[in-house]
Amino acid sequence: QVQVRESGGGLVQAGGSLRLSCAASRRTSSNNGMGWFRQAPGKEREFVASISWRGDSTIYADSVKGRFTISRDNAKNTVYLQMNSLKPEDTADYYCAVSRSSTASTQRSQYNYWGQGTQVTVSS
């Protein structure tokens, strides 16, 4: 069974930072692109960032570009999302996902394994 687990969420003031982590089981993390998505209350789940399995290609949503950084450590089967200059509109549940392919992707349909999510709340 595939395991994907997020951690690092919490409550932070606007302008602050958080780092999310995503641990995936060894069988799924090798040769797989990884992504972060988020879902705010009453809204659709939206793409945030993605990274190729080599870590040499990344994609960001326009809303987080320049503030968030995705990275990965394949030796630890872990992907990170460093979130700086947080805004109240970043408040959401953040989900990590494993891609079917080795490339980075913005498409939800490309991801076949998902974590349970970690909550991020940014106060104004």
Side-chain angles (χ1 to χ4, degrees), residues 7 13 31 36 39-40 52 54 61 64 70 85 101 103-104 115:
S7 62
Q13 289 187 334
N31 296 336
W36 286 96
Q39 187 167 16
S52 62
R54 292 180 186 272
V64 307
I70 188 170
S85 302
S101 77
T103 59

Side-chain angles (χ1 to χ4, degrees), residues 60-114:
Y60 295 93
D62 287 344
S63 58
V64 307
K65 203 171 291 183
R67 301 187 297 122
F68 291 12
T69 303
I70 188 170
S71 61
R72 67 188 297 164
D73 184 341
N74 287 342
K76 296 182 179 180
N77 300 317
T78 301
V79 174
Y80 304 97
L81 185 67
Q82 177 66 43
M83 306 186 296
N84 298 329
S85 302
L86 282 162
K87 304 175 182 180
E89 51 263 45
D90 294 318
T91 295
D93 292 325
Y94 283 71
Y95 297 88
C96 177
V98 181
S99 175
R100 304 173 194 274
S101 77
S102 62
T103 59
S105 175
T106 64
Q107 301 302 309
R108 283 181 58 183
S109 60
Q110 189 65 25
Y111 296 85
N112 54 348
Y113 298 114
W114 295 78

Side-chain angles (χ1 to χ4, degrees), residues 3-20:
Q3 300 290 333
V4 181
R5 185 173 183 178
E6 306 93 339
S7 62
L11 173 64
V12 64
Q13 289 187 334
S17 298
L18 281 175
R19 189 175 81 155
L20 306 183

Side-chain angles (χ1 to χ4, degrees), residues 24-34 53 72 74 77-78 98:
S25 59
R26 183 176 301 177
R27 288 180 296 169
T28 58
S29 66
S30 59
N31 296 336
N32 294 99
M34 301 285 290
W53 83 272
R72 67 188 297 164
N74 287 342
N77 300 317
T78 301
V98 181

